[in-house]
Amino acid sequence: MTLTAGMLLGAPAHAAPPGGGERAAAPDTRVPPSPGTDAAPRTHAVPRPSTGEARRASRTAYTDLSRSQAVSLAQRHFPELSRRGYKALDLEPGQRVDAWLGARAARITRPGEADLLLESQLPLRTLSETGAPTPVDLSLRDGEDGFAPLAPIVALEVGDRAHEGIALDDIGVSVAPVGVAEATGVARQDKAFFTDTAPDTDHIVTPLPTGVDLGAQLRSPASPERFRWRLDLPAGARLQLSADAPGAEIVGVGGIKLAHITAPVAWDADDRQVKSALAVSGDELVVDVAHRETRVRYPVMLDPTILEDAAHWYANAAVPVDLSGWMWTDPGKRFGYFYGAAYLGNGLYTYNRGSTVFEAGDYANWYFNAPGTSRIVRADFGYVKHEPQTAGTWAAPYNDDRSYQGVWSYQQGRYESGRWCDLGEGGACGTSPFTTYGALHYASKTHFALEATPGNAAIFGTSVFYAGAHAPFTNFLGSASVWIEDVDAPAVTEDTGLSDQRWTSDRGFQARATDTGLGLRKLVVDSPGNPGWRGAYTYDASCTGDRRNRCPQVGYVHSDTTGLPEGLVPIRYTATDAVGNVSSRTWTIPIDRTSPSVLPDRHASPGATAPLEQDDDSVLVFEAEAEDAGAGVRSIDFELVAEWGSVVDESADPEPQSCPQHGCRKHREWSVSAYLLMSGQYTLRTIATDQLGNRSVDERVVDVVRGIPPALR
């Protein structure tokens, strides 16, 4: 028996080379509506001043205090002085930074939960003394010559004695109070207290993210009504009153503004404004506070502030306050707005100037939407300053304009319930949202324990309650951080070619991932157990997920089976979103590129049934069996070929079979009329074809001699 086997394959249809792409999410056009009625009682609508007796008693109650008593007095009446200093990262136990995403965003890991995305207006990191990036922290540390913030955005040094003042090294400016006693300072959180710098007077220095606050506590009528600070300026620089904003400014060579000095404000223990004014005399700031002949309740707090221009921030000149992502709505078109560096700092402003007629309920919001179905689980509103009306029908503390903040649920059409707390131990807490009609002096509040409905929004807003003419007011947000959660993993779905369970020799396929929250960061296709497969591919969106580089909500990857082995081969797609949620889905593709095998004949002399005579009408019976481990055998065809090459007889399979289960066999017999065959040598050709058209040919020689049984070999 002579056996010749071969494989007849069609050319495979390869798909395109592996690759992927994305489709960006549609723009977010959601706008939070009116805040409606007050979110909290109008606690400042009806003032509750102290009695005349209490005011008179305060004129002598705080004289001759010790240093600790003077510090405690200030912290008691002006609670912001007792709160913890600004930290860019206020993490809860177990949380840590998994990755820094540029200057103003980070991915925060949580024990047993998906990561959070932290987005901040202010830079999260600065350079330490060693030059290494380190999180911003304004807590004061004691040094040999005074105090300095641990890791400031703007470089600041505070002398250990009151008369030494402060130095803003970035812009080469030093500021020192004039005519103060040689008082030694003490640090509390981020505040340096210098007590008894003048009769019943204490100076207070507080670093801010973008500058420094120069405060003074006035404890009795013996306290001065005029305060001076002398500035040591770089060559060619000058100090002057601002032409376009309240306060003063430091202007360098060529007219470049180095810093702005806010108009001073002064408030007594009843939260009443005390008249103050600022003037410039050469290189000196002169601040007058008329407190002695007025009905004030002591102590009185005064706080002019120096704010560096962002272009001069230490090590962060290229990354100033980032206000992207915050949007503005003012349906009545009655409020003024500004974003960027201005007289209160670098941030978001809502204001009114002059006398403006408002309708009752007019409002304006700065708001930040959580992308898609992600949700804000915490919102920090820092360095908020509210300057209410000081004139007109509704003057402070009877003012009408209010500042509010909280997290809005689009899903529920209302503010989310939760908690807010001032930073630091002993700070006030309340039910979120927060609203006030009173003055806020660089206050900071964090909102947490929220309902966290999908696609919610952080809101910093302003509204008026009564219709009529309103005098100037300002609402300012100096820093904001939103903490965004996305707990849902991406969904992986098939586009084409994966769920088809028909056998294939080569096939292209494609699947995609969809993430309706913070978006898709990566989509990988591979085949488990087949390392080095050239069809493997990683689509990397090259995004960080924060507002500067949002991730697409959809990505896809296409590939094909080229290079994969035969059999039931797994194809796996793995999707990762912006905060590390992972989903994976595996399909199985049946691959068969091998032709069937024709099994050896089971008879010693297959095909012969009887001796052949010339006129014999007997038949020769041939049989064959084929197997295929993949798609299965579809048909067996026979050909009988004479030695001169002609096909003398043939038989196509009359009953081709389908193969509902992989690997099916087939058996077939073929009968040939013997009298048609002359003596000689023939070739029996058996052709087995599988379900995909893969063919194999088995050839055996048949010797026919008349009068002698044929021999098949």
Side-chain angles (χ1 to χ4, degrees):
M1 185 191 303
T2 303
L3 178 63
T4 303
M7 192 186 312
L8 302 177
L9 299 176
H14 296 295
E22 66 184 31
R23 184 175 73 239
D28 190 345
T29 59
R30 297 171 300 159
V31 179
S34 165
T37 57
D38 286 5
R42 297 178 73 231
T43 55
H44 292 77
V46 179
R48 298 178 180 176
S50 57
T51 63
E53 181 180 352
R55 289 196 299 273
R56 289 189 294 273
S58 73
R59 298 171 71 88
T60 58
Y62 308 121
T63 61
D64 301 323
L65 297 184
S66 67
R67 182 166 70 178
S68 61
Q69 289 173 330
V71 171
S72 296
L73 177 70
Q75 292 177 330
R76 183 168 70 252
H77 286 284
F78 308 102
E80 61 271 15
L81 296 177
S82 65
R83 292 168 196 151
R84 197 205 62 208
Y86 176 82
K87 292 183 179 180
L89 289 177
D90 188 15
L91 302 180
E92 297 178 4
Q95 294 181 348
R96 62 177 180 82
V97 175
D98 177 66
W100 300 100
L101 310 176
R104 294 162 295 264
R107 196 162 57 242
I108 309 297
T109 61
R110 301 180 293 174
E113 298 182 85
D115 293 350
L116 291 175
L117 180 64
L118 166 61
E119 304 204 42
S120 172
Q121 286 183 358
L122 291 173
L124 294 174
R125 292 194 295 174
T126 184
L127 297 182
S128 66
E129 290 183 336
T130 64
T134 187
V136 174
D137 187 345
L138 300 188
S139 303
L140 290 177
R141 55 178 171 80
D142 292 332
E144 295 180 0
D145 301 321
F147 313 98
L150 288 174
I153 297 175
V154 298
L156 173 68
E157 295 180 4
V158 183
D160 61 355
R161 297 181 180 275
H163 70 278
E164 295 174 349
I166 60 102
L168 294 165
D169 294 334
D170 302 338
I171 56 177
V173 172
S174 297
V175 184
V178 178
V180 296
E182 196 167 322
T184 302
V186 59
R188 295 289 184 269
Q189 302 285 354
D190 61 334
K191 289 85 177 171
F193 291 88
F194 300 89
T195 58
D196 289 321
T197 52
D200 298 334
T201 301
D202 315 301
H203 277 67
I204 305 166
V205 175
T206 305
L208 301 175
T210 61
V212 61
D213 187 270
L214 304 175
Q217 177 177 232
L218 290 56
R219 293 189 262 119
S220 80
S223 302
E225 287 194 312
R226 172 163 288 183
F227 293 81
R228 292 177 176 269
W229 283 269
R230 181 176 294 116
L231 278 67
D232 184 7
L233 304 175
R238 65 185 184 276
L239 174 66
Q240 63 185 33
L241 290 176
S242 297
D244 56 355
E249 59 191 13
I250 303 171
V251 180
V253 177
I256 299 174
K257 187 169 74 172
L258 301 179
H260 183 86
I261 302 168
T262 65
V265 292
W267 297 87
D268 73 356
D270 286 333
D271 210 22
R272 287 180 178 271
Q273 186 179 30
V274 181
K275 185 177 180 179
S276 60
L278 180 143
V280 169
S281 177
D283 290 343
E284 287 188 358
L285 287 172
V286 181
V287 178
D288 290 324
V289 188
H291 64 93
R292 291 173 178 167
E293 304 303 324
T294 57
R295 300 173 62 196
V296 301
R297 181 186 176 196
Y298 291 94
V300 172
M301 180 58 60
L302 169 71
D303 68 341
T305 303
I306 300 177
L307 300 165
E308 284 191 15
D309 188 86
H312 306 282
W313 290 358
Y314 172 67
N316 287 287
V319 284
V321 167
D322 183 4
L323 305 175
S324 60
W326 286 89
M327 295 176 283
W328 167 260
T329 180
D330 175 16
K333 308 300 181 186
R334 290 184 171 86
F335 294 84
Y337 77 97
F338 180 80
Y339 55 93
Y343 79 103
L344 290 179
N346 202 338
L348 301 173
Y349 290 82
T350 306
Y351 63 87
N352 174 54
R353 293 293 177 263
S355 180
T356 304
V357 176
F358 286 84
E359 297 293 333
D362 277 347
Y363 73 97
N365 290 330
W366 284 106
Y367 64 100
F368 188 107
N369 286 338
T373 55
S374 66
R375 68 274 326 249
I376 296 172
V377 296
R378 173 179 162 185
D380 300 338
F381 298 88
Y383 292 93
V384 174
K385 195 156 187 175
H386 181 223
E387 296 179 333
Q389 301 172 69
T390 57
T393 306
W394 306 107
Y398 302 88
N399 51 284
D400 181 43
D401 66 285
R402 70 179 173 112
S403 170
Y404 56 88
Q405 55 186 252
V407 174
W408 180 265
S409 171
Y410 288 103
Q411 188 179 82
Q412 300 183 10
R414 60 169 174 79
Y415 283 105
E416 294 189 355
S417 62
R419 296 283 291 166
W420 63 261
C421 284
D422 295 323
L423 294 177
E425 296 182 4
C429 292
T431 301
S432 185
F434 169 81
T435 186
T436 182
Y437 291 83
L440 294 174
H441 303 293
Y442 295 109
S444 296
K445 288 178 169 53
T446 181
H447 296 251
F448 60 100
L450 300 164
E451 295 170 85
T453 56
N456 52 9
I459 293 180
F460 177 74
T462 305
S463 69
V464 299
F465 193 82
Y466 295 114
H470 288 68
F473 56 81
T474 303
N475 202 19
F476 169 72
L477 176 63
S479 73
S481 296
V482 292
W483 304 67
I484 304 175
E485 177 185 72
D486 182 0
V487 298
D488 298 321
V492 179
T493 56
E494 176 191 11
D495 281 345
T496 182
L498 289 166
S499 60
D500 185 351
Q501 289 301 293
R502 292 175 298 177
W503 287 84
T504 182
S505 56
D506 277 290
R507 179 191 300 169
F509 51 85
Q510 180 173 296
R512 67 184 54 234
T514 304
D515 188 89
T516 59
L518 288 169
L520 181 70
R521 182 152 48 99
K522 187 178 294 185
L523 180 60
V524 178
V525 60
D526 67 350
S527 178
N530 295 295
W533 170 47
R534 64 181 181 178
Y537 187 83
T538 297
Y539 162 65
D540 191 332
S542 298
C543 58
T544 54
D546 65 285
R547 64 194 184 278
R548 285 284 182 176
N549 192 5
R550 290 283 186 226
C551 293
Q553 291 197 328
V554 176
Y556 66 88
V557 169
H558 59 76
S559 187
D560 63 58
T561 57
T562 304
L564 287 173
E566 295 181 88
L568 301 176
V569 182
I571 302 295
R572 178 174 61 191
Y573 277 81
T574 303
T576 306
D577 70 8
V579 289
N581 293 307
V582 178
S583 64
S584 183
R585 186 173 176 183
T586 301
W587 287 269
T588 299
I589 296 182
I591 301 175
D592 181 6
R593 304 186 188 94
T594 303
S595 59
S597 299
V598 178
L599 302 179
D601 206 312
R602 294 176 295 175
H603 302 284
S605 181
T609 59
L612 296 180
E613 299 293 341
Q614 186 68 34
D615 298 326
D616 197 346
D617 60 357
S618 62
V619 296
L620 299 178
V621 178
F622 302 107
E623 65 176 327
E625 188 170 3
E627 65 178 5
D628 185 86
V633 180
R634 181 177 184 274
S635 62
I636 297 176
D637 302 327
F638 291 109
E639 293 178 351
L640 192 61
V641 183
E643 54 188 309
W644 54 88
S646 297
V647 176
V648 296
D649 204 353
E650 62 182 336
S651 175
D653 195 331
E655 296 180 344
Q657 67 178 8
S658 61
C659 194
Q661 296 181 346
H662 75 276
C664 58
R665 295 187 176 195
K666 186 173 179 63
H667 177 269
R668 187 187 169 201
E669 293 183 352
W670 178 40
S671 299
V672 178
S673 297
Y675 75 92
L676 296 176
L677 300 178
M678 302 296 294
S679 295
Q681 190 175 77
Y682 297 83
T683 300
L684 176 63
R685 184 178 294 160
T686 304
I687 304 168
T689 306
D690 69 8
Q691 305 293 327
L692 298 177
N694 299 313
R695 303 170 66 200
S696 64
V697 180
D698 176 79
E699 293 184 347
R700 287 175 285 178
V701 176
V702 178
D703 292 321
V704 177
V705 180
R706 283 297 169 181
I708 301 175
L712 182 66
R713 53 187 175 87

